[in-house]
Amino acid sequence: MKDTDIKKLLYAHLLCIFSIILSVLIPPLFLENFSILETHLTWLCICSGVVTAVNLVLYLVVKPNTSSKRSSLSHKVTRVLKCCIYFLMSCFIFHVIFVLYGAPLIELVLETFLFAVILSTFTTVPCLCLLGPRLKAWLRVFSRNGVTSIWENSLQITTISSLVGAWLGAFPIPLDWERPWQVWPISCTLGATFGYVAGLLISPLWIYWNRKQLSYKNN
Amino acid sequence: MQKISVLLFLTWVCFLFYAGIALFTSGFLLTRLELTNHSTCQEPPGPGSPPWGSQEEPRACWMASRFSRVVLVLIDALRFDFAQPQRSHVPGEPLVSLPFLGKLGTLQRILETQPHHARLYRSQVDPPTTTMQRLKALTTGSLPTFIDAGSNFASHAIMEDNLIKQLTSAGKRVVFMGDDTWKDLFPGAFSQAFFFPSFNVRDLHTVDNGILEHLYPTMDGGEWDVLIAHFLGVDHCGHKHGPHHPEMAKKLSQMDQVIQGLVDRVENDTLLVVAGDHGMTMNGDHGGDSELEVSAALFLYSPTALFPSAPPEEPEVIPQVSLVPTLALLLGLPIPFGNIGEVMAELFSGGENSQPHSSALAQATALHLNAQQVSRFLHTYSAAAQDLKDKELHQLQNLFSKASADYQWLLQSPQQAEATQQTVIAELQQFLRGARTMCIESWARFSLVRMVGGAAILAAACFLCLLASQWATSPGFPFCPLLLIPVAGGLGGAVVYVGLVATIGLRLDLVLLGAVAAMCSLLTFLWKARAAWGSRKPLATLLPLPGSVRLFLLIRLAAFFSDSFVVADARATPFLLDSFILLLVAQLHWEGQLLSPKLLTVPRLGSSSSTGLPRYSGAYALRLGVGLLLCTRLAGLFHRCPEETPACHSSPWLSPLASMVDGRAKNLWYGACVVALLALLAAVRLWLHRYGNLKSPEPPMLFVRWGLPLMALGTAAYWALASGADEIPPRLRALVAGASVVLPRAVAGLAVSGLMLLLWKPVTVLVKAGTGAPRTRTVLTPFSGPPTTQADLDYVVPQIYRHMQEEFRGRLERTKSQGPLTVAAYQLGSVYSAAMVTALTLLAFPLLLLHAERISLVFLLLFLQSFLLLHLLAAGIPITTLGPFTVPWQAVSAWALMATQTFYSTGHQPVFPAIHWHAAFVGFPDGHGSSTWLPALLVGANTFASHLLFAVGCPLLLLWPFLCESQGLQKRQQPPGNEAEARIRPEEQEQPLMEMRLRDAPHHFNAALLQLGLKYLFVLGVQILACALAASILRRHLMVWKVFAPKFIFEALGFIVSSVGLLQGITLVMRVDGAVSSWFKQLVLAQQR
């Protein structure tokens, strides 16, 4: 039972990674002059869209939590609307946090906002898919002993590693190497992406290794 | 543990750090060896008599003089582009019009009309670009080293051979007028001198007008051979207004008139030299080595033709020291012994219509003399000091012998082709440039042994702090042996060292003495510690740092090893601080301390979590965190850019209001500053009011009520005078000048008297005796019989009262029999913090006055920020009732990070040009005369204000959680509702004990203070250790003098200031503690009567 779950998790994560790789490889076939560094904003939009889509598809196919009892249409619609609002809120909150961290307030607003969008894609979208728009559940998952399934556990790991990746991405900015990727916010978006990918890879492995110690309270 | 021994222990640890810093510094910042040899006329620099020997012409020395008189006009900070001719406007390009461009029209006119008589050079200055170093270089031709940078305002006579000395010994009459730095450098060298004070950088005109008063009369009088005029107006204008101010245009136009006047007056035998000693940055500062600082203008003019060719399109770049040998040979003097400059060969070619052949020969002769002199100097120097590299020296010697041989051959057969002559000239120049390069490279010499020793002492001291801080709160801390034996060991080591030195007969080196003492006492400490510790506990407990703190410290320390990160430290520190704060909030959430356990555990399982009641809601901590981020970001707006990042723009808000041109904006800003001041005042009063200490009739609180507003008023008035000084009507000038002297001094005096009052009577409580005292806010209530249950005793009856009960039971029994007598003492619970906050406010006001007006907003933010941080930290610390009390590492490191962040947000940078020299004139608008310690103190207080405030405020980290107890209790009491209240009788419903908990366990209190001090010293100590290691490992790095060395010096000074502040903060807490004790004794005695 558990091993099959972990396998499922692994395949889902591999699909996510694959979608990110595709978002790098496919656009040059259709768009001229596409490169991650030079047309960074385009890539950000594409990557964000692709990752969101894959997450949604995965959620519909795998259905990790089957807890929704009511399934009337209006309930579903409000749920989707709520999810959208949550996503937008998280984008704005991230944007504010970036500005508080020292990002320029007026210049490069679009860049900063798209960074917020991609970071929300890596963190908020999986949360919304898995936990739904319930803040209490989120708070529970991100605290000690609050995890109830391997899906939530992997969510915890990928979210934290995306955030840490984005944070580490800021470190090369002051260095005097004069590389094109050291410009705000490219290094941070790349860091977030690498962090997300690393989280996707690490979480199934970590769960596999620790499967003896992990005992979720609902099982 | 006694209070005094805690202080002694901390002092001893500080001494260890100081000894390490001193030893490292003595190995890292070495001076160049100054030779006292002199060149003389009778002794030419090398064999081979010059073509015109001394026998032919009596006045000639090494070379025949071409000019008998020189006028040297030194315009301080005359950057190259100030003098650069403005090309006629090209239609395609936009016309740039800056206040400093194209104002020296005379130069341009002369260069165009008399191209063979004048020449403009871009002179390349060697750092440090401070005036005294430049004057040394301009007269000796050598390279003043880094360590001299500090003695800019206490300059000493030049011991090395120099131009002025050569001039006087040749019997020339040297007349000087201008900057009085020359008086210290060349005491008694001038036949006539008019010195004007140089230190007051706000004064643009005194020096220049003084010079102009004497310049033309002296020139016309003819009683001179060399006339030196050192104008300071341009430099002072740069410091005061920056180069982009209209005032700069006025000043430069004035200089232009001066040059015009001189050009009209100079005669045929006179050379006119107009030189800048260094440049200035975009802000008008100097001292570093950015491109703008090291490019100065140099202009030569003579009524007789000087140059064989017209000037090149783009002015030539020459090293500044080239002027020294050139002037010496042109005047027929020996080149100063230690000169490493290269003559400007062009000037020796003999005018407009000389033969190309003979002109080349003359150039070669001048260069050869110069090369001989440099070779002789290198020979002598390498014999005296071993710091020049043998290999390079050997190569240079070979080069010189070859060039010399070629030159001799050229002399013997004068009819050589021009190509041969050019080869000889090129060879000589190659030698001279090689020698100069080698000197520049090797005069940053290090003593590795001392550096390693210093770093080792620092590392051991850090280890000691870590060990002792872990150990201090445990009960079995063998305090006395751990303090006394190491100190005895250190003294023993010192005595042995002195004995050794005395027997061998070496000079006693204080730095080494301190290092030996520190080393001995450290070794004895470690030995003692191992004996007492090693057997009992595993070594793993030696690393008590929590993971997050370790991570952040590591990042911070690693950043010291990268020049990019040191330069970007002003941005990186807020980033780290923000991350640290968010991590703290996240950790609190992770640990489940922010939300009620119901939310955090799965509903089915029920709330069986044992975390206890949370004291704070999640939203509260989140608000604190966001508020902190916001404050940090706002403080970051007051950012000063280091010179190394040209893309970055310094905040315009750092300049004083006086430099603003727009009157309306000035008024608005002034209003904002006063509002910030009032808000600071109101916040402090509100805080004291909230905890009730403001009601106390004790003198410190009276001072807070009346003295503080007075100080704020004085500050605001001083700002008004300082910012509007230029618009004052003339008849009020004297009054305003007097007020701008008196006001800052009055504020400082008030602050000092306030601090004195605070030290005299630090207990700020309100005592009321009588039966009708309101009981809701009492801490001390009458003893009305034994408590009914044990639970009541634990919860209701104040600990402090039990303490008294045990001590004075008998006496109180008697009191009771006389009837219920009530003594109500208010605000005991915040008595320590109230004293601390008052002291910090009193300290902040004079420091505020030393900064530019708009920095007051940052000071307001500083107080807000530390208030929020303290609350946030307190949210994570559970209250320990009976000790041992500890301050978590997170708190200490966040505090230290915030101190660094405030250092940057008050407009400082760890580089010398960024020092706020203005601070020295607050209260002393006319300078300080000859005293140097007072301006140094003022500038130091300005630079290290944030270090000082945060270090003094450090004990608040220990006190604050207890203060927050009251909030927590109120919150806790409300929700349980009426049932609990009903159970408690009204008279027993007490205020929480708050800081009196500390008093209840004096032993633990002292231990906690010691631990806090050690932790703070550790966090600062590892930073200075990392700086020292970075500076020593990267000592051959390109940026060592620009980035790492200044960073080390600033960190070291900051450490010293912080450690002193820390000791004072802890002393203050102990003074309050002592006063509270005696207050209790008095109270009991009074009750007894």
Side-chain angles (χ1 to χ4, degrees), chain A residues 51-84:
Chain A
V51 171
T52 312
V54 168
N55 264 304
L56 284 176
V57 168
L58 278 178
Y59 164 68
L60 293 175
V61 172
V62 182
K63 286 218 166 73
N65 61 336
T66 49
S67 63
S68 56
K69 291 153 200 163
R70 292 172 296 155
S71 53
S72 65
L73 187 69
S74 66
H75 179 248
K76 272 183 181 165
V77 168
T78 45
R79 201 178 148 89
V80 167
L81 274 180
K82 250 187 166 178
C83 282
C84 289

mmCIF file of all heavy atoms in Angstrom, chain A residues 51-84:
data_model
loop_
_atom_site.group_PDB
_atom_site.id
_atom_site.type_symbol
_atom_site.label_atom_id
_atom_site.label_comp_id
_atom_site.label_asym_id
_atom_site.label_seq_id
_atom_site.Cartn_x
_atom_site.Cartn_y
_atom_site.Cartn_z
ATOM 1 N N VAL A 51 3.386 24.481 -15.342
ATOM 2 C CA VAL A 51 3.429 23.826 -14.030
ATOM 3 C C VAL A 51 2.037 23.822 -13.399
ATOM 4 O O VAL A 51 1.602 22.812 -12.820
ATOM 5 C CB VAL A 51 4.461 24.516 -13.113
ATOM 6 C CG1 VAL A 51 4.363 23.984 -11.704
ATOM 7 C CG2 VAL A 51 5.850 24.286 -13.646
ATOM 8 N N THR A 52 1.316 24.937 -13.536
ATOM 9 C CA THR A 52 -0.048 24.973 -13.003
ATOM 10 C C THR A 52 -0.915 23.913 -13.678
ATOM 11 O O THR A 52 -1.641 23.159 -12.999
ATOM 12 C CB THR A 52 -0.661 26.366 -13.236
ATOM 13 O OG1 THR A 52 0.273 27.341 -12.821
ATOM 14 C CG2 THR A 52 -1.945 26.523 -12.470
ATOM 15 N N ALA A 53 -0.819 23.831 -15.010
ATOM 16 C CA ALA A 53 -1.634 22.872 -15.727
ATOM 17 C C ALA A 53 -1.327 21.447 -15.285
ATOM 18 O O ALA A 53 -2.239 20.649 -14.994
ATOM 19 C CB ALA A 53 -1.389 23.029 -17.221
ATOM 20 N N VAL A 54 -0.040 21.144 -15.209
ATOM 21 C CA VAL A 54 0.339 19.783 -14.826
ATOM 22 C C VAL A 54 -0.151 19.464 -13.424
ATOM 23 O O VAL A 54 -0.655 18.376 -13.154
ATOM 24 C CB VAL A 54 1.865 19.605 -14.950
ATOM 25 C CG1 VAL A 54 2.314 18.323 -14.282
ATOM 26 C CG2 VAL A 54 2.269 19.617 -16.389
ATOM 27 N N ASN A 55 -0.047 20.450 -12.543
ATOM 28 C CA ASN A 55 -0.521 20.223 -11.176
ATOM 29 C C ASN A 55 -2.014 19.940 -11.150
ATOM 30 O O ASN A 55 -2.476 19.049 -10.431
ATOM 31 C CB ASN A 55 -0.203 21.446 -10.316
ATOM 32 C CG ASN A 55 1.086 21.260 -9.548
ATOM 33 O OD1 ASN A 55 1.222 20.300 -8.804
ATOM 34 N ND2 ASN A 55 2.034 22.145 -9.763
ATOM 35 N N LEU A 56 -2.755 20.720 -11.948
ATOM 36 C CA LEU A 56 -4.203 20.519 -11.979
ATOM 37 C C LEU A 56 -4.546 19.132 -12.518
ATOM 38 O O LEU A 56 -5.368 18.409 -11.950
ATOM 39 C CB LEU A 56 -4.855 21.600 -12.843
ATOM 40 C CG LEU A 56 -4.968 22.970 -12.177
ATOM 41 C CD1 LEU A 56 -5.541 23.982 -13.143
ATOM 42 C CD2 LEU A 56 -5.846 22.856 -10.943
ATOM 43 N N VAL A 57 -3.862 18.775 -13.624
ATOM 44 C CA VAL A 57 -4.124 17.466 -14.231
ATOM 45 C C VAL A 57 -3.821 16.355 -13.238
ATOM 46 O O VAL A 57 -4.615 15.423 -13.034
ATOM 47 C CB VAL A 57 -3.293 17.312 -15.517
ATOM 48 C CG1 VAL A 57 -3.330 15.875 -15.993
ATOM 49 C CG2 VAL A 57 -3.799 18.242 -16.582
ATOM 50 N N LEU A 58 -2.691 16.502 -12.584
ATOM 51 C CA LEU A 58 -2.301 15.488 -11.597
ATOM 52 C C LEU A 58 -3.351 15.382 -10.499
ATOM 53 O O LEU A 58 -3.728 14.288 -10.083
ATOM 54 C CB LEU A 58 -0.951 15.858 -10.989
ATOM 55 C CG LEU A 58 0.273 15.482 -11.797
ATOM 56 C CD1 LEU A 58 1.519 15.950 -11.076
ATOM 57 C CD2 LEU A 58 0.303 13.977 -11.987
ATOM 58 N N TYR A 59 -3.820 16.531 -10.077
ATOM 59 C CA TYR A 59 -4.805 16.537 -8.997
ATOM 60 C C TYR A 59 -6.068 15.804 -9.443
ATOM 61 O O TYR A 59 -6.636 14.990 -8.699
ATOM 62 C CB TYR A 59 -5.120 17.978 -8.614
ATOM 63 C CG TYR A 59 -6.372 18.145 -7.798
ATOM 64 C CD1 TYR A 59 -6.431 17.659 -6.490
ATOM 65 C CD2 TYR A 59 -7.485 18.771 -8.335
ATOM 66 C CE1 TYR A 59 -7.573 17.798 -5.755
ATOM 67 C CE2 TYR A 59 -8.634 18.915 -7.596
ATOM 68 C CZ TYR A 59 -8.680 18.429 -6.293
ATOM 69 O OH TYR A 59 -9.822 18.570 -5.555
ATOM 70 N N LEU A 60 -6.509 16.076 -10.695
ATOM 71 C CA LEU A 60 -7.733 15.444 -11.179
ATOM 72 C C LEU A 60 -7.553 13.949 -11.384
ATOM 73 O O LEU A 60 -8.462 13.158 -11.162
ATOM 74 C CB LEU A 60 -8.183 16.120 -12.471
ATOM 75 C CG LEU A 60 -8.641 17.565 -12.283
ATOM 76 C CD1 LEU A 60 -8.968 18.218 -13.609
ATOM 77 C CD2 LEU A 60 -9.845 17.621 -11.356
ATOM 78 N N VAL A 61 -6.352 13.556 -11.824
ATOM 79 C CA VAL A 61 -6.126 12.146 -12.138
ATOM 80 C C VAL A 61 -5.858 11.343 -10.875
ATOM 81 O O VAL A 61 -6.481 10.315 -10.625
ATOM 82 C CB VAL A 61 -4.959 12.017 -13.136
ATOM 83 C CG1 VAL A 61 -4.583 10.550 -13.317
ATOM 84 C CG2 VAL A 61 -5.334 12.623 -14.467
ATOM 85 N N VAL A 62 -4.949 11.851 -10.057
ATOM 86 C CA VAL A 62 -4.496 11.039 -8.920
ATOM 87 C C VAL A 62 -5.471 11.131 -7.750
ATOM 88 O O VAL A 62 -5.719 10.155 -7.053
ATOM 89 C CB VAL A 62 -3.085 11.480 -8.495
ATOM 90 C CG1 VAL A 62 -2.581 10.628 -7.358
ATOM 91 C CG2 VAL A 62 -2.141 11.377 -9.678
ATOM 92 N N LYS A 63 -6.044 12.320 -7.566
ATOM 93 C CA LYS A 63 -6.976 12.561 -6.451
ATOM 94 C C LYS A 63 -6.399 12.077 -5.109
ATOM 95 O O LYS A 63 -6.850 11.106 -4.533
ATOM 96 C CB LYS A 63 -8.303 11.842 -6.712
ATOM 97 C CG LYS A 63 -9.137 12.523 -7.773
ATOM 98 C CD LYS A 63 -10.619 12.448 -7.390
ATOM 99 C CE LYS A 63 -11.459 13.378 -8.192
ATOM 100 N NZ LYS A 63 -11.668 12.999 -9.573
ATOM 101 N N PRO A 64 -5.367 12.735 -4.641
ATOM 102 C CA PRO A 64 -4.725 12.253 -3.421
ATOM 103 C C PRO A 64 -5.633 12.335 -2.190
ATOM 104 O O PRO A 64 -5.552 11.492 -1.306
ATOM 105 C CB PRO A 64 -3.511 13.165 -3.269
ATOM 106 C CG PRO A 64 -3.793 14.338 -4.126
ATOM 107 C CD PRO A 64 -4.737 13.927 -5.188
ATOM 108 N N ASN A 65 -6.457 13.335 -2.095
ATOM 109 C CA ASN A 65 -7.351 13.341 -0.943
ATOM 110 C C ASN A 65 -8.806 13.356 -1.426
ATOM 111 O O ASN A 65 -9.234 14.215 -2.179
ATOM 112 C CB ASN A 65 -7.068 14.520 -0.005
ATOM 113 C CG ASN A 65 -7.270 15.835 -0.709
ATOM 114 O OD1 ASN A 65 -7.178 15.908 -1.920
ATOM 115 N ND2 ASN A 65 -7.529 16.875 0.050
ATOM 116 N N THR A 66 -9.538 12.379 -1.027
ATOM 117 C CA THR A 66 -10.926 12.240 -1.484
ATOM 118 C C THR A 66 -11.862 12.600 -0.354
ATOM 119 O O THR A 66 -12.725 11.834 0.043
ATOM 120 C CB THR A 66 -11.185 10.804 -1.947
ATOM 121 O OG1 THR A 66 -10.700 9.938 -0.913
ATOM 122 C CG2 THR A 66 -10.483 10.500 -3.238
ATOM 123 N N SER A 67 -11.630 13.776 0.192
ATOM 124 C CA SER A 67 -12.382 14.119 1.393
ATOM 125 C C SER A 67 -13.623 14.959 1.087
ATOM 126 O O SER A 67 -14.479 15.093 1.949
ATOM 127 C CB SER A 67 -11.483 14.881 2.373
ATOM 128 O OG SER A 67 -11.100 16.078 1.744
ATOM 129 N N SER A 68 -13.686 15.525 -0.122
ATOM 130 C CA SER A 68 -14.813 16.427 -0.391
ATOM 131 C C SER A 68 -16.109 15.622 -0.486
ATOM 132 O O SER A 68 -16.289 14.771 -1.358
ATOM 133 C CB SER A 68 -14.568 17.185 -1.691
ATOM 134 O OG SER A 68 -14.348 16.265 -2.721
ATOM 135 N N LYS A 69 -16.970 15.929 0.433
ATOM 136 C CA LYS A 69 -18.201 15.140 0.502
ATOM 137 C C LYS A 69 -19.257 15.732 -0.422
ATOM 138 O O LYS A 69 -19.880 15.057 -1.220
ATOM 139 C CB LYS A 69 -18.726 15.111 1.932
ATOM 140 C CG LYS A 69 -17.822 14.301 2.862
ATOM 141 C CD LYS A 69 -17.942 14.802 4.294
ATOM 142 C CE LYS A 69 -16.729 14.347 5.081
ATOM 143 N NZ LYS A 69 -16.588 15.111 6.320
ATOM 144 N N ARG A 70 -19.442 17.047 -0.239
ATOM 145 C CA ARG A 70 -20.405 17.676 -1.135
ATOM 146 C C ARG A 70 -19.737 17.918 -2.481
ATOM 147 O O ARG A 70 -18.553 18.261 -2.533
ATOM 148 C CB ARG A 70 -20.856 19.010 -0.544
ATOM 149 C CG ARG A 70 -21.686 18.856 0.725
ATOM 150 C CD ARG A 70 -21.916 20.212 1.332
ATOM 151 N NE ARG A 70 -20.640 20.817 1.747
ATOM 152 C CZ ARG A 70 -20.465 22.115 1.860
ATOM 153 N NH1 ARG A 70 -21.438 22.939 1.568
ATOM 154 N NH2 ARG A 70 -19.312 22.587 2.261
ATOM 155 N N SER A 71 -20.460 17.725 -3.527
ATOM 156 C CA SER A 71 -19.861 17.998 -4.829
ATOM 157 C C SER A 71 -20.885 18.636 -5.757
ATOM 158 O O SER A 71 -20.995 18.278 -6.912
ATOM 159 C CB SER A 71 -19.318 16.712 -5.445
ATOM 160 O OG SER A 71 -20.326 15.741 -5.458
ATOM 161 N N SER A 72 -21.648 19.543 -5.184
ATOM 162 C CA SER A 72 -22.583 20.257 -6.046
ATOM 163 C C SER A 72 -21.808 21.226 -6.938
ATOM 164 O O SER A 72 -20.665 21.576 -6.638
ATOM 165 C CB SER A 72 -23.592 21.024 -5.193
ATOM 166 O OG SER A 72 -22.893 22.031 -4.475
ATOM 167 N N LEU A 73 -22.450 21.669 -7.984
ATOM 168 C CA LEU A 73 -21.765 22.518 -8.958
ATOM 169 C C LEU A 73 -21.388 23.856 -8.336
ATOM 170 O O LEU A 73 -20.249 24.339 -8.484
ATOM 171 C CB LEU A 73 -22.673 22.730 -10.171
ATOM 172 C CG LEU A 73 -21.986 23.471 -11.325
ATOM 173 C CD1 LEU A 73 -20.920 22.598 -11.955
ATOM 174 C CD2 LEU A 73 -23.013 23.913 -12.352
ATOM 175 N N SER A 74 -22.330 24.428 -7.589
ATOM 176 C CA SER A 74 -22.061 25.745 -7.010
ATOM 177 C C SER A 74 -20.896 25.652 -6.027
ATOM 178 O O SER A 74 -20.024 26.531 -5.979
ATOM 179 C CB SER A 74 -23.304 26.265 -6.295
ATOM 180 O OG SER A 74 -23.575 25.441 -5.179
ATOM 181 N N HIS A 75 -20.866 24.578 -5.288
ATOM 182 C CA HIS A 75 -19.749 24.385 -4.362
ATOM 183 C C HIS A 75 -18.429 24.336 -5.105
ATOM 184 O O HIS A 75 -17.432 24.947 -4.715
ATOM 185 C CB HIS A 75 -19.961 23.092 -3.572
ATOM 186 C CG HIS A 75 -18.847 22.808 -2.625
ATOM 187 N ND1 HIS A 75 -17.996 21.757 -2.790
ATOM 188 C CD2 HIS A 75 -18.447 23.471 -1.520
ATOM 189 C CE1 HIS A 75 -17.112 21.768 -1.817
ATOM 190 N NE2 HIS A 75 -17.365 22.798 -1.027
ATOM 191 N N LYS A 76 -18.444 23.626 -6.229
ATOM 192 C CA LYS A 76 -17.212 23.523 -7.021
ATOM 193 C C LYS A 76 -16.802 24.881 -7.556
ATOM 194 O O LYS A 76 -15.624 25.255 -7.530
ATOM 195 C CB LYS A 76 -17.431 22.558 -8.182
ATOM 196 C CG LYS A 76 -17.129 21.125 -7.785
ATOM 197 C CD LYS A 76 -17.287 20.196 -8.952
ATOM 198 C CE LYS A 76 -16.996 18.770 -8.527
ATOM 199 N NZ LYS A 76 -17.478 17.811 -9.517
ATOM 200 N N VAL A 77 -17.802 25.635 -8.036
ATOM 201 C CA VAL A 77 -17.479 26.943 -8.619
ATOM 202 C C VAL A 77 -16.885 27.873 -7.560
ATOM 203 O O VAL A 77 -15.848 28.507 -7.771
ATOM 204 C CB VAL A 77 -18.742 27.559 -9.264
ATOM 205 C CG1 VAL A 77 -18.487 29.027 -9.601
ATOM 206 C CG2 VAL A 77 -19.104 26.799 -10.513
ATOM 207 N N THR A 78 -17.530 27.914 -6.393
ATOM 208 C CA THR A 78 -16.983 28.786 -5.344
ATOM 209 C C THR A 78 -15.586 28.330 -4.963
ATOM 210 O O THR A 78 -14.702 29.150 -4.705
ATOM 211 C CB THR A 78 -17.863 28.759 -4.082
ATOM 212 O OG1 THR A 78 -18.203 27.399 -3.802
ATOM 213 C CG2 THR A 78 -19.108 29.586 -4.259
ATOM 214 N N ARG A 79 -15.403 27.042 -4.981
ATOM 215 C CA ARG A 79 -14.082 26.517 -4.639
ATOM 216 C C ARG A 79 -13.035 26.988 -5.638
ATOM 217 O O ARG A 79 -11.956 27.474 -5.249
ATOM 218 C CB ARG A 79 -14.172 24.993 -4.643
ATOM 219 C CG ARG A 79 -13.088 24.289 -3.846
ATOM 220 C CD ARG A 79 -13.357 22.796 -3.918
ATOM 221 N NE ARG A 79 -12.114 22.068 -3.884
ATOM 222 C CZ ARG A 79 -11.527 21.682 -2.752
ATOM 223 N NH1 ARG A 79 -12.093 21.954 -1.598
ATOM 224 N NH2 ARG A 79 -10.405 21.018 -2.792
ATOM 225 N N VAL A 80 -13.375 26.898 -6.910
ATOM 226 C CA VAL A 80 -12.420 27.340 -7.935
ATOM 227 C C VAL A 80 -12.164 28.827 -7.810
ATOM 228 O O VAL A 80 -11.009 29.292 -7.862
ATOM 229 C CB VAL A 80 -12.963 26.987 -9.341
ATOM 230 C CG1 VAL A 80 -12.159 27.698 -10.409
ATOM 231 C CG2 VAL A 80 -12.924 25.494 -9.548
ATOM 232 N N LEU A 81 -13.244 29.587 -7.600
ATOM 233 C CA LEU A 81 -13.074 31.039 -7.469
ATOM 234 C C LEU A 81 -12.191 31.371 -6.276
ATOM 235 O O LEU A 81 -11.282 32.197 -6.359
ATOM 236 C CB LEU A 81 -14.438 31.704 -7.290
ATOM 237 C CG LEU A 81 -15.160 32.044 -8.594
ATOM 238 C CD1 LEU A 81 -16.490 32.695 -8.302
ATOM 239 C CD2 LEU A 81 -14.278 32.943 -9.442
ATOM 240 N N LYS A 82 -12.472 30.689 -5.180
ATOM 241 C CA LYS A 82 -11.670 30.913 -3.974
ATOM 242 C C LYS A 82 -10.203 30.616 -4.245
ATOM 243 O O LYS A 82 -9.304 31.340 -3.814
ATOM 244 C CB LYS A 82 -12.175 30.001 -2.853
ATOM 245 C CG LYS A 82 -12.876 30.732 -1.731
ATOM 246 C CD LYS A 82 -13.154 29.750 -0.632
ATOM 247 C CE LYS A 82 -13.531 30.410 0.651
ATOM 248 N NZ LYS A 82 -13.839 29.410 1.685
ATOM 249 N N CYS A 83 -9.962 29.528 -4.981
ATOM 250 C CA CYS A 83 -8.579 29.153 -5.315
ATOM 251 C C CYS A 83 -7.916 30.272 -6.093
ATOM 252 O O CYS A 83 -6.765 30.636 -5.829
ATOM 253 C CB CYS A 83 -8.563 27.874 -6.137
ATOM 254 S SG CYS A 83 -8.806 26.407 -5.148
ATOM 255 N N CYS A 84 -8.654 30.825 -7.069
ATOM 256 C CA CYS A 84 -8.068 31.905 -7.866
ATOM 257 C C CYS A 84 -7.710 33.086 -6.967
ATOM 258 O O CYS A 84 -6.626 33.663 -7.076
ATOM 259 C CB CYS A 84 -9.052 32.362 -8.940
ATOM 260 S SG CYS A 84 -9.232 31.137 -10.226
#
